[in-house]
């Protein structure tokens, strides 16, 4: 049996489990976590007791009540879940080699020494389960996947839930995953599944048997070859990717759906996105705004600008696009809003401008002001000083 190199941990019903850990009255009972405290909202997570009734991520609150009359709802507390994520990460890093925190509920570890054998890896999983139960909470459980690379370890981690442990390697592939649909595999979107179908690849065994060079043609990228080689068990390291942009999107709770309040939430999202842009030492040359209304329409526009990290400039672009939206579409109740900073590059690579005048990589006056505000907020807390009026809207449905 070839050596195992990666252990992938997927926390089971993480958000609901955290709530059950903190409130013993919730243990053993069906619990759902909601994005907004309203019947019009949806469940963003569910405990396994709720899943047994058919409640899952995306189920509307009213449907969850119908499926499971005794279900208990709790509003999402994303910052709390992040704290538990860090507590779990601390335990893992003290007992093994934590290499990646993949998401708020997924972790990747490197295997070494005796843990590269199947028996050693299974023993490590048992020790990690026990350590998390003692040091973080006995309601916090995870499913583990063991594999020769990160792709197979992640797939293995989804095979047995909850509280499971599975492995994938040359001895059990592709039979152990032959029952999965193509789009059950990480990285296979609906569009890629359709592309594979057009290439007459209809199932996982066929994909496993595919010539990696053929996969490159189907994907129209070297990523197809990498994917199939990893599926076949090769150890191919993760490749750092170029960041395509910075953005935030928000599903609005009912009290924020008036267009005037949604506009102020948008200003808050712009401030958050531009602060992250500066922390990463980047500039952006394109701003995009997307607004979804309750009527079902989505309005989306973008505008180019000189590459910058000045919050005030992006707030002006945000206002200009809202004015354009108001003149052309007049949205009713707004269900969600998103902002995105694109065409990003490093500040150090920005060319100068003789007309401004601005030397290469030199900060503009507005960028210096933005950085000063970052320093004040870092010392006194987010939002201590703002670029005019905005409306914070914290919660789980925030991406970027």
């Amino acid at each position: 049996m070839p050596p195992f190199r990666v252990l992938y941990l997927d926390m089971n019903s993480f958000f609901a489990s955290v709530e059950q850990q903190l409130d013993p009255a919730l243990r053993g009972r069906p619990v759902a976590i909601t994005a907004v405290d309203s019947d019009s909202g949806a469940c963003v997570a569910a405990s396994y007791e709720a899943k047994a009734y058919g409640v899952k991520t995306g189920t509307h609150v009213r449907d969850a009540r119908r499926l499971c009359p005794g279900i208990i709802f709790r509003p999402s507390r994303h910052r709390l879940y992040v704290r538990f994520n860090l507590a779990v990460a601390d335990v893992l890093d003290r007992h093994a080699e934590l290499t990646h925190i993949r998401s708020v509920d997924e972790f990747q570890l490197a295997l070494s020494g005796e843990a590269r054998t199947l028996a050693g890896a299974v023993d490590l999983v048992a020790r990690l389960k026990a350590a998390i139960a003692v040091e973080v909470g006995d309601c916090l459980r995870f499913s583990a996947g063991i594999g020769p690379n990160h792709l197979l370890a992640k797939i293995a981690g989804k095979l047995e839930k909850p509280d499971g442990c599975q492995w994938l390697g040359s001895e059990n592939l592709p039979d152990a995953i032959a029952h999965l649909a193509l789009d059950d595999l990480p990285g296979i979107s609906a569009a890629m599944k359709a592309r594979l179908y057009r290439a007459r690849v209809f199932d996982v065994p066929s994909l496993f048997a595919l010539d990696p060079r053929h996969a490159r043609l189907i994907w129209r990228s070297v990523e197809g070859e990498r994917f199939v080689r990893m599926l076949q068990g090769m150890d191919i390291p993760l490749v750092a990717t170029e960041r395509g942009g910075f953005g935030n999107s928000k599903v609005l709770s009912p009290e924020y759906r008036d267009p005037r309040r949604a506009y102020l939430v948008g200003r808050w999202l712009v401030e958050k996105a531009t602060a992250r842009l500066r922390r990463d030492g980047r500039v952006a040359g394109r701003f995009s705004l997307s607004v979804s209304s309750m009527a079902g329409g989505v309005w989306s526009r973008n505008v180019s600008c000189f590459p910058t990290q000045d919050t005030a400039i992006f707030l002006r672009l945000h206002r200009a696009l809202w004015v354009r939206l108001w003149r052309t579409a007049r949205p009713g109740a707004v269900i969600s809003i998103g902002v995105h900073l694109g065409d990003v590059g490093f500040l150090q690579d920005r060319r100068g401008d003789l007309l401004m005048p601005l030397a290469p990589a030199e900060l503009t006056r507005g960028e210096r002001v933005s950085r000063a505000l970052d320093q004040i907020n870092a010392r006194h807390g987010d939002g201590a000083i703002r670029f005019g009026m905005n409306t914070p809207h914290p919660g789980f449905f925030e991406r970027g």
Side-chain angles (χ1 to χ4, degrees), residues 24 60 111 129 172 208-209 216 242 265:
H60 286 286
L111 298 176
K129 286 178 183 285
N172 65 354
F208 181 86
R216 182 193 285 246
E242 285 295 320
V265 173

Side-chain angles (χ1 to χ4, degrees), residues 176-200:
I177 56 175
H179 63 286
L180 299 178
L182 287 173
D183 50 2
D184 287 334
L185 303 181
I188 304 294
S189 64
M192 181 55 66
K193 179 181 178 180
R195 197 179 294 177
L196 287 165
Y197 274 21
R198 289 194 295 271
R200 305 194 69 77

Side-chain angles (χ1 to χ4, degrees), residues 122-145:
V122 170
D123 180 66
L124 174 61
V125 169
R127 287 187 278 118
L128 292 175
K129 286 178 183 285
I132 289 174
V134 171
E135 300 183 47
V136 184
D138 56 5
C139 289
L140 281 297
R141 297 175 294 170
F142 64 78
S143 295

